Amino acid sequence: MDFSSSNTALWSFMIQLGVIAGLVLVANLLRRRVPFIKKTLMPTAVLAGFLLLLLRSLGVDIVTSETLEMLTYHGIALGFIALSLRVADAGDAVGVEPLTAPKSGALIVCSYTVQGMAGLIVSLALAYTFMPGMFKASGILLPMGYGQGPGQANNIGSTYEQTYGFVGGRSFGLSLAASGYLVACIVGVIYLNVLVRKKKITRTDVEIESGSVSVDTFQDKGEVPISESVDRLSIQMALVIGVYLVSYLAIAGISKLVAGLGEGVSNTVSTLLWGFNFIVGSAIALLLRAILKSLRKNKIMTRQYQNNYLLSRISGFAFDLMIIAGIGSILISDLKGLWVPFILMSVMGTVITFVFLQWMCKKIYPGYFYEGFLSMYGMMTGTISSGVLLLREVDPLFQTPAANNLITGSGTGILFGIPMLVLVGLAPVSEEMTWLTFALLFVYTALLVLFMLKAGKKARRGRAE
């Protein structure tokens, strides 16, 4: 085998990863040393993504579109699988109301539905007035970009482009995701500073030093010892990649089974499964976690193989890679003719998410409204990392339940989000289905709001008694 540079198949992928790694280091340096960038709280991965986007816009195509699409697609699945494999901490629920987790999950999904309606209002209004050729279901990409981030914006945008003929759909979705990051960082920080000037909150700059992390953070009781013949990180990677392999086999098997039900049904089911592969992966990871827990409980297995610290690091790495690749893979040229809906949806998404979350967070997080709102707004326009970044400005030691709500809410949100996944697949089928999707989003929003308000009243009544 030729190991020289002439063997592009051998070196190409590693060189591209090296370029991405270099951009991460440059972005981290800029974020630490440039005061303006530091004040925006923009995550390093987001800044690295914009640097890569700038290079590619200038014609420096060192990293190919195929590689970026692959990293974006697989990154979201690997990240969620790693998170789902984490062993539940018994102390996570201490001091938290029993209904906070489902209410947070409902709030997250309700934000998706509100963003979906806002996006569809824009796309439908343009399609029936100034832009008759506008893809009517394109508005549903707003919650995929703002609420879900570049991973889902990439998956659904690509599906709409390849299956339903939405020209530029992938770049449109990814552009909305990039816009969401800017909104999370810029609008979130501006609002935070307004609150400080009005003396509503006190901004703190406390940073958690490495020496303050205890051994318990790195190892739980009963885990595989460090002296074991296999490295602990290798075990975590084997679990994550093994679950992903099973996910692939499961989706491939289901796709073959439904192939005989007709081309229409087969295409719809297959598209949803491959587009939402991270949901399947998360479900299988949760199943594996339950099996391992049962084996340990029945003394069949004596050791705990998952390490929460390392699994969190794996998910963080996968999500960072996904963010960089997602933003960097945007093709500005694909947005030709889509700038008007892009700008309108970005503005609508920013305003409607801000207003809706302010209203609901006052209802369900009365004891820590500002912390709850800032964290949720950061997550519902960017990702969980941007939500945590905003939260740390007012609650650096995570003394309120706001940080925990992001995690538990994301978990329970999977159940509340199942109807949303169906609607995403339904919206582009036809014009009638697009209008039906809008109507169902409205109904589901009302049901979720009713659940949150009723659950909040029951919780408050219980405390009073």
Side-chain angles (χ1 to χ4, degrees):
M1 183 178 181
D2 181 12
F3 296 108
S4 69
S5 59
S6 60
N7 189 346
T8 56
L10 175 65
W11 284 105
S12 178
F13 183 68
M14 296 308 298
I15 291 172
Q16 293 177 73
L17 286 182
V19 171
I20 293 174
L23 289 173
V24 171
L25 296 176
V26 171
N28 188 60
L29 180 64
L30 291 174
R31 192 179 184 278
R32 287 179 58 82
R33 298 299 181 185
V34 180
F36 169 74
I37 296 177
K38 186 176 182 179
K39 288 180 180 179
T40 64
L41 300 182
M42 183 181 296
T44 299
V46 176
L47 181 56
F50 281 118
L51 291 176
L52 180 57
L53 176 61
L54 177 62
L55 287 177
R56 299 187 77 232
S57 299
L58 295 175
V60 184
D61 287 331
I62 301 177
V63 186
T64 65
S65 298
E66 291 75 15
T67 298
L68 294 175
E69 289 181 32
M70 179 184 67
L71 293 175
T72 305
Y73 180 76
H74 293 309
I76 187 173
L78 293 171
F80 273 101
I81 288 171
L83 283 181
S84 300
L85 283 171
R86 283 171 47 92
V87 178
D89 186 353
D92 284 347
V94 175
V96 180
E97 294 178 2
L99 289 173
T100 299
K103 284 192 292 183
S104 297
L107 178 62
I108 290 172
V109 176
C110 199
S111 299
Y112 296 158
T113 60
V114 169
Q115 290 171 345
M117 286 191 293
L120 286 176
I121 287 173
V122 172
S123 60
L124 288 169
L126 289 175
Y128 287 111
T129 53
F130 307 106
M131 299 177 65
M134 183 70 192
F135 187 70
K136 295 180 176 64
S138 61
I140 207 73
L141 288 174
L142 178 58
M144 297 297 103
Y146 269 43
Q148 286 281 314
Q152 274 309 97
N154 173 76
N155 293 354
I156 302 304
S158 297
T159 299
Y160 282 11
E161 184 169 351
Q162 296 167 13
T163 307
Y164 299 103
F166 178 24
V167 179
R170 179 178 174 277
S171 289
F172 185 74
L174 286 170
S175 297
L176 286 172
S179 171
Y181 280 120
L182 293 176
V183 167
C185 297
I186 297 174
V187 176
V189 171
I190 290 175
Y191 180 66
L192 192 150
N193 288 324
V194 168
L195 293 177
V196 171
R197 283 198 296 270
K198 291 183 176 181
K199 297 182 179 181
K200 299 286 186 181
I201 60 173
T202 301
R203 188 173 181 177
T204 55
D205 295 317
V206 178
E207 292 190 2
I208 300 175
E209 301 293 339
S210 58
S212 65
V213 181
S214 65
V215 176
D216 293 335
T217 304
F218 299 96
Q219 179 172 329
D220 291 331
K221 184 179 179 181
E223 275 194 42
V224 176
I226 296 177
S227 59
E228 186 71 28
S229 59
V230 62
D231 190 88
R232 192 178 293 169
L233 178 60
S234 300
I235 294 177
Q236 311 311 308
M237 291 299 298
L239 289 171
V240 172
I241 297 175
V243 167
Y244 199 26
L245 174 60
V246 175
S247 305
Y248 166 80
L249 295 174
I251 296 175
I254 296 172
S255 297
K256 286 186 177 180
L257 287 175
V258 300
L261 300 178
E263 186 177 350
V265 175
S266 176
N267 289 339
T268 301
V269 174
S270 182
T271 298
L272 280 174
L273 288 175
W274 289 115
F276 290 95
N277 67 326
F278 75 99
I279 295 290
V280 178
S282 296
I284 294 174
L286 290 172
L287 177 61
L288 176 60
R289 189 179 78 178
I291 292 172
L292 293 176
K293 181 180 179 181
S294 177
L295 291 175
R296 289 198 70 207
K297 185 177 180 180
N298 293 306
K299 309 298 182 182
I300 299 174
M301 188 174 71
T302 58
R303 289 175 175 173
Q304 174 183 306
Y305 285 91
Q306 305 106 296
N307 180 279
N308 284 355
Y309 177 78
L310 292 177
L311 287 171
S312 295
R313 302 287 65 76
I314 292 171
S315 67
F317 171 74
F319 286 146
D320 282 344
L321 206 57
M322 175 201 72
I323 291 167
I324 296 168
I327 296 176
S329 64
I330 296 171
L331 295 176
I332 302 299
S333 58
D334 283 357
L335 291 179
K336 183 180 179 181
L338 295 174
W339 285 106
V340 172
F342 167 69
I343 293 172
L344 289 177
M345 285 188 199
S346 296
V347 173
M348 282 281 283
T350 301
V351 175
I352 198 72
T353 306
F354 189 94
V355 173
F356 173 73
L357 286 177
Q358 268 215 329
W359 174 56
M360 284 308 309
C361 286
K362 286 180 181 178
K363 303 289 184 182
I364 64 177
Y365 305 135
Y368 49 98
F369 161 66
Y370 292 115
E371 292 85 353
F373 169 75
L374 285 169
S375 59
M376 278 292 174
Y377 187 72
M379 185 171 78
M380 296 315 303
T381 51
T383 61
I384 192 170
S385 62
S386 49
V388 171
L389 281 170
L390 289 177
L391 176 62
R392 287 186 64 176
E393 293 297 306
V394 293
D395 184 17
L397 300 178
F398 303 132
Q399 295 173 324
T400 68
N404 190 70
N405 293 343
L406 298 181
I407 300 171
T408 58
S410 298
T412 57
I414 294 176
L415 297 176
F416 287 107
I418 292 175
M420 186 69 185
L421 302 184
V422 176
L423 294 178
V424 168
L426 182 69
V429 173
S430 65
E431 182 178 340
E432 292 76 16
M433 291 297 101
T434 303
W435 280 105
L436 177 61
T437 298
F438 182 85
L440 292 175
L441 283 173
F442 181 82
V443 173
Y444 195 42
T445 299
L447 292 174
L448 289 172
V449 169
L450 185 63
F451 166 76
M452 288 185 284
L453 294 179
K454 290 292 184 180
K457 287 182 179 180
K458 288 182 179 179
R460 288 191 292 273
R461 190 181 304 120
R463 289 198 305 271
E465 293 174 354

